[in-house]
Each structure stands twice: as C-alpha cells, then as structure tokens.
C-alpha cells in the first residue's frame, strides 16, 4: 500500500462512521421521545464558516435589490410609452392619410418597383420599414366606411355615419383635433392632392351633415365658421368651389367669391398655379395664412402629372413646403404644429380599378412619407400614417378562366404604361368630340395611340377595341391592363378590410402598436398634443346657430347644411336581397 493511503475500512474511518451512527441514533430517540438533541458543533464553526454565511446573505440581498430596481425601471418605461406619456419638448404632429390604400396596395407597389428598377426581392418601401399595427374601419351605419366617417373618426375620435363631416348621428358637431390644436396655440395645415373641400380634409376644419355640401365646406374652411379661421395653411385642389359662379372655372351654386373673402377678411395670401407655388420656395417664401389652390378640381394622377410638372406640384413638394413653413412659423413658439397630409388619389385609383395609377400614387405617397421622416430626424415630433379604408378590393391575383388557375401575377405588365386609364379615356372622348372618324379610323386610333402608346398593351383583341368604341370608359382601359397583369378587383367601391398603421421612430407612438379601432388614432393625436375637444364641441353647438341662414323662401337653413334622414345613421344595415338588383338599372353614383 502506498504511503499516506488508508484502507477503506480503516479504524479512523470506522470511528467517524460510529460517531455518525451515534448522532443518528440520538436524533431518532429525540423524535420518539419529543426531547431536543444538542450537538456542540458551534465549537467547530470558526471564522471561515461565518464568512461564507455573510457572503451568501449579501449576494441574496444584492440580487433582490437588482430585481426590484429592474421591475421599477420597466414599470417606468412602460408608463412612458405604452400609456402615452407626453414629451417635454415642443410637440409637432404630422398625420398622414393614404386614402383608400389597403395592405395589398403595398404588395402591388413593392413588386412593381422591384420590377421597374431591377431591385432584389428584399428591397422594400419606406412605409414597410415603419409598420406598427392595423386599424378597423367600420362606421356607425355600415361595416364598410366612406372617407367622411373614416376621417371623422380621426378628427373627432368618434364614430359617425357614412357621409358625415365631423357631425355625429344626432346631427350635432364634434370638435376636431385641428380646431382644438389651433385654440391651444398650435399652427395648423392641410395638404391634399384632391379638392381641399373633399371629405378627408373637410373633416378637420368643417362640420356638415353631408359631404356633398362642398360649397359650405369651402366657406367654413376659410373662416366662415363658429370658431373663426382655424387653418393656417391649405395646399391642394378644388379652386372651383372658391370662385363665384359668374367666373369661368367655378363650380359653386352661388356667386360668393371666397378667394376675395379669404384675402380681405381673413388675411390669407393666395396662390393658384405652379408659378405661385414655386414662389413659396419649398416653405421659405410662405406668408401665413396661406390658401394654395393649385388645381381647379383634383391634381392629376402622379403617372400623368409627371408630364405636366410645369403645371402642378407633386405631393412631396407640397408636403415639404407645408412642413418647412409651419416649422419656421413655430420656431420661437412654445407650441409646435399640426399638419394633415393626404395621398388622396390612391382612393380614386382604387375606384377606377386602375393598377397603373395605384402603383404610382402609392410611390408618390411613400416619397412624401420619407420626406416627413427626414424632417423628424432633426426635429421634435411624431408622424402617424394610416388609411381611412381600402378601395377596390384589390387582389394581386386574378382567375381569368373557368379552369383551375396557375399561380401567376404579372406586375411587370404595368411598367410599359405611361398614363392612367382616366387620362386615356379623356383623350379618347376628346378625340371623338373633335373628329368625325369612321369606325375603322377610330379603332386604329384606339389601338395605336391609346392602347399601345399609352397603356403598353400590344395584343389587344378586336373585342376589347370594339368595347372602347361602344363605350369610351376609363373602366374598360383599366380592365384591359388589369387582366394582363392578372390583378384582381372585387368592387369599384370600398371594402371592410383592416388597414395598416405606420409611424415614425418614436417611443410615443407605442400606444398604437397592434390592432385598433380607427377612433383610437384620433384619441392618440388628441392625447399627444394634450388637447381637450369637449370645450370645442360645446362652443360649436353654442355659437353654431349664429351662422344659420334663411333661404329666399323663408326656410331656416342650418350652418351645417341639410340633415340626413335620421333612420339608420347609428345602426348597421343588413341584407335586403340586393343580389337581384340589375346593375344596369342602378342609377346611383359611387362617392370616392
């Protein structure tokens, strides 16, 4: 046996075992007798033992302290973000509305851009990088909202019926975030590519029972309003609603000259064309308040506007001009600004089922979105972007035949189109009106000049050309290219699909993560700007009657226009056997 080793059963080991056995026996006796045992182990526990105990106790206490600190920190962070804490710095709010843009619009536009520019599959739009949630869009009168009810949810934070411009189902006005922001000292602005009197912009600065009352909306937006002038900057189209009926280009029903009233009574500076817009120098040349009506009705689709850039500014140019002007105007103010920017004609492209116009409109919106983000990179504020609804029931697939379809979609077909279906139909109707052509000559013009040169379609069938001869409609041009791209549409109206929410990189936008009612977006704007809409509503109701008028027949006219029939404004409609209705007998016109 080696030196220092002991046998496993040596006497010393046996002694230790015997001691342990004695102790175990004593403990067993204690359990049986109920008497405590006493071991004099304390004599054996010296300084090393107690040092170990102390270190252990210290580590437990330190760990507990760290856990408590982490929990408190997490709670504070949660309170500062998810509960919508307010920033201490100046608050600027840019609210962007992509009217009619649904999730599939992004799929279509992203793939179109990749094909057009030779980009890889992982190249995405700026919007894609800032997706944070989605919004449910129903109104009080339908599961499918219109732009008026959708924008009322944004402006008032309340649901209303289709057609309502910041008016509730009981026909009382609701105060808007723009009106409250103006009252609180913020500078305000509206930028659109359609008429400035259209439903979405109107909902922030006007109150009418029906969106069709655009003459009244125009009056209210310049300051003929219970609250006075509430908008500091307006850029868009719709000039015809501000011109007296006696003037060329007017679409008013009366002879009021709102441009003159805006300038003389409310101090607006006014521009009406591209030259005037260029004089604004992207904001540095703006004198507030500004009324900029750069188109008589709607600004052309972006795919068409490119060819008349000397006549109409782009959405991005107007957005930059507005944001720079409002930023400069509030540079020395404790309050910031509220600006609503709408990509209005995405909706019109959906109504027209025009994939070419749709793709270019979304790209134009994405460009303006990127410009707003660039501004916010060096300035305080947040940007929220969403849609009021989806339009067209767009699908990036289409079954053309009864047989089971191939899994194909062809966005590359859209690349060769140089104009929208709306533009091509206008050209065709003008050509028919100007020239007395034989059917053969007209077919040749349609095929060569419109389908091939304008739409990029070189394989049009005789039946398609004949359809255009019989009915020179934008719908037919749109259908011709949609079929070749295998792009599907389910309606010329709106759909009930949830729409996306996008935001700038800010912890203050976290309350909008996930899926929300559209009214929650209005509530977010209200809370971020620390606004109180209740006194605004009360003032509108109290002072509104002062703006009522009397017709020539002595009839009292409400300042909010004629009321809707009360029935059904606050309850959802239901099925009435509509599938039996003949489309050709339906004389109703859809509202965008």
């Amino acid at each position: 046996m080696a030196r220092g080793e002991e046998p496993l059963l040596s006497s010393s080991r046996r002694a230790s075992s015997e001691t342990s056995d004695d102790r175990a026996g004593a403990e067993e006796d204690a359990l049986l007798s109920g008497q405590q045992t006493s071991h004099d182990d304390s004599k054996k526990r010296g300084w090393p033992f107690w040092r170990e105990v102390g270190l252990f106790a210290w580590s437990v206490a330190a760990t507990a302290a760290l856990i408590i600190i982490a929990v408190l920190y997490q709670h504070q962070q949660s309170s500062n973000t998810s509960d919508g804490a307010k920033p201490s710095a100046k608050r600027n709010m840019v609210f962007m509305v992509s009217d009619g843009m649904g999730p599939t619009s992004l799929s279509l536009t992203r793939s179109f851009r990749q094909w057009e520019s030779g980009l890889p599959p992982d190249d995405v739009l700026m919007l894609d990088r800032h997706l944070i949630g989605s919004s449910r869009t129903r109104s009080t009168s339908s599961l499918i909202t219109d732009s008026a009810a959708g924008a009322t949810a944004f402006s008032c934070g309340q649901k209303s019926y289709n057609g309502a411009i910041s008016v509730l189902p009981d026909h009382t006005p609701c105060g808007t975030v723009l009106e409250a922001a103006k009252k609180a000292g913020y500078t305000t602005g509206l930028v659109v590519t359609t008429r400035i009197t259209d439903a979405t912009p109107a909902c922030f600065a006007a109150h009418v029972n029906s969106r069709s009352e655009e003459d009244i909306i125009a009056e209210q937006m310049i300051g003929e309003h219970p609250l006075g002038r509430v908008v500091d900057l307006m850029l868009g189209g719709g000039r015809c609603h501000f011109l007296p009926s006696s003037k060329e280009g007017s679409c008013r029903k009366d002879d009021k000259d709102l441009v003159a009233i805006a300038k003389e009574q409310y101090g607006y500076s006014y521009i009406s064309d591209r030259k005037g817009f260029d004089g604004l120098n992207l904001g540095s040349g703006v004198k507030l308040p500004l009324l900029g009506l750069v188109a008589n009705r709607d600004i052309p689709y972006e795919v068409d506007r490119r060819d008349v850039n000397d006549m109409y500014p782009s959405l991005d140019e107007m957005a930059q001009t507005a944001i720079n002007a409002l930023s400069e105007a509030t540079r020395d103010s404790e309050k910031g600004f509220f600006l609503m920017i709408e990509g209005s004609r995405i909706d019109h492209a959906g109504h027209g089922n025009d994939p070419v116009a749709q793709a270019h409109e979304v790209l134009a919106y994405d460009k303006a979105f990127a410009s707003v983000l660039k501004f916010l990179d060096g300035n305080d504020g947040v940007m929220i972007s969403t849609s009021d609804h989806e339009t067209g029931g767009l699908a990036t697939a289409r079954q053309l035949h009864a047989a089971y379809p191939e899994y194909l979609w062809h966005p590359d077909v859209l690349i060769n189109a140089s104009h929208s279906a709306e533009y091509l139909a206008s050209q065709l109707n003008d050509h028919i009106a100007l020239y007395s052509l034989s059917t053969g000559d007209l077919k040749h013009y349609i095929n060569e000049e419109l389908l091939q040169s304008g739409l990029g379609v070189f394989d049009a069938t005789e039946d398609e050309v004949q359809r255009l001869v019989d009915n020179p409609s934008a719908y037919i041009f749109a259908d011709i290219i949609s079929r070749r791209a295998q792009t599907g549409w389910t309606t010329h109206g709106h759909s009930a699909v949830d729409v996306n929410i996008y935001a700038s990189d800010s912890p203050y936008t976290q309350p909008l993560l996930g899926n929300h009612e559209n009214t929650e977006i209005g509530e977010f704007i209200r809370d971020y700007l620390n606004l109180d809409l209740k006194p605004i509503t009360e003032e509108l109701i109290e002072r509104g009657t002062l703006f009522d008028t009397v017709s020539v027949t002595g009839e009292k006219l409400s300042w909010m226009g004629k009321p809707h029939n009360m029935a059904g404004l606050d309850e959802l409609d239901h099925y009435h056997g509509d599938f039996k209705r003949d489309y050709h007998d339906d004389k109703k016109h859809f509202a965008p």
Side-chain angles (χ1 to χ4, degrees), residues 99-100 142 144-150 161-165 194-195 197-200 209-214 298 301 342 344-353 388-392 475 491-495 564 581 586-592:
D99 197 322
S142 178
I144 298 180
T145 189
D146 79 330
S147 293
Y161 58 90
N162 286 0
I165 301 294
T194 185
R195 305 172 309 286
T197 53
D198 202 9
T200 301
N209 292 309
S210 173
R211 59 180 293 170
S212 63
E213 302 269 19
E214 292 192 49
D298 301 329
Y301 283 125
E342 183 188 36
S344 318
R345 302 214 65 195
I346 301 171
D347 175 60
H348 292 187
H351 281 296
N353 289 182
D388 44 2
H389 53 76
E390 192 272 348
T391 305
Y475 286 173
T491 179
H492 283 292
H494 300 168
S495 75
H564 266 275
R581 188 172 64 190
D586 186 1
K587 303 301 182 184
K588 295 173 65 178
H589 297 282
F590 63 77

Side-chain angles (χ1 to χ4, degrees), residues 328-526:
E328 177 61 24
T330 57
R331 182 178 56 178
D332 300 321
S333 171
E334 292 182 1
K335 297 289 186 178
F337 61 81
F338 170 78
L339 173 63
M340 193 284 293
I341 301 171
E342 183 188 36
S344 318
R345 302 214 65 195
I346 301 171
D347 175 60
H348 292 187
H351 281 296
N353 289 182
D354 186 344
V356 175
Q358 174 98 170
H360 286 276
E361 287 301 302
V362 174
L363 285 175
Y365 185 82
D366 192 62
K367 186 176 182 180
F369 183 92
S371 291
V372 173
L373 290 175
K374 183 177 180 181
F375 169 82
L376 291 175
D377 279 345
N379 296 274
D380 296 313
V382 301
M383 181 264 286
I384 294 295
S385 169
T386 192
S387 304
D388 44 2
H389 53 76
E390 192 272 348
T391 305
L394 174 62
T396 49
R398 182 164 182 163
Q399 183 160 340
L400 300 175
H401 311 287
Y404 190 83
E406 294 184 77
Y407 296 160
L408 294 172
W409 176 54
H410 303 299
D412 54 301
V413 169
L414 311 179
I415 295 172
N416 294 326
S418 58
H419 285 290
S420 68
E422 176 185 87
Y423 174 87
L424 296 173
S426 176
Q427 292 294 105
L428 176 55
N429 281 283
D430 289 347
H431 196 79
I432 293 172
L434 288 172
Y435 304 104
S436 297
L437 299 175
S438 66
T439 301
D441 288 342
L442 182 57
K443 286 184 177 181
H444 177 80
Y445 172 77
I446 291 171
N447 193 40
E448 296 287 331
E449 300 299 326
L450 302 180
L451 292 176
Q452 294 183 21
S453 297
L455 209 57
V457 171
F458 293 88
D459 60 349
T461 67
E462 176 65 25
D463 178 65
E464 288 173 325
V465 174
Q466 185 62 50
R467 287 172 65 201
L468 288 168
V469 170
D470 298 337
N471 180 18
S473 166
Y475 286 173
I476 297 175
F477 281 105
D479 183 61
I480 287 171
I481 194 164
S482 290
R483 292 177 69 84
R484 284 159 177 78
Q486 290 189 218
T487 298
W489 306 89
T490 62
T491 179
H492 283 292
H494 300 168
S495 75
V497 70
D498 289 358
V499 294
N500 291 343
I501 302 174
Y502 306 90
S504 56
D505 296 323
S506 169
Y508 303 110
T509 61
Q510 290 197 20
L512 291 178
L513 292 175
N515 184 259
H516 300 271
E517 279 294 332
N518 53 8
T519 51
E520 294 180 63
I521 296 168
E523 292 168 0
F524 171 83
I525 297 171
R526 177 200 66 195

Side-chain angles (χ1 to χ4, degrees), residues 172-198:
T172 59
C174 53
T176 74
V177 290
L178 183 144
E179 293 166 340
K182 182 62 178 174
K183 283 282 189 178
Y186 290 89
T187 305
T188 61
L190 299 170
V191 172
V192 299
T193 53
T194 185
R195 305 172 309 286
I196 199 71
T197 53
D198 202 9

Side-chain angles (χ1 to χ4, degrees), residues 268 274 368 510:
Y268 277 99
R274 179 76 204 213
Q510 290 197 20

Side-chain angles (χ1 to χ4, degrees), residues 570-581:
D570 57 355
E571 60 184 21
L572 298 180
D573 201 357
H574 56 87
Y575 178 64
H576 299 284
D578 295 53
F579 83 99
K580 296 179 181 179
R581 188 172 64 190

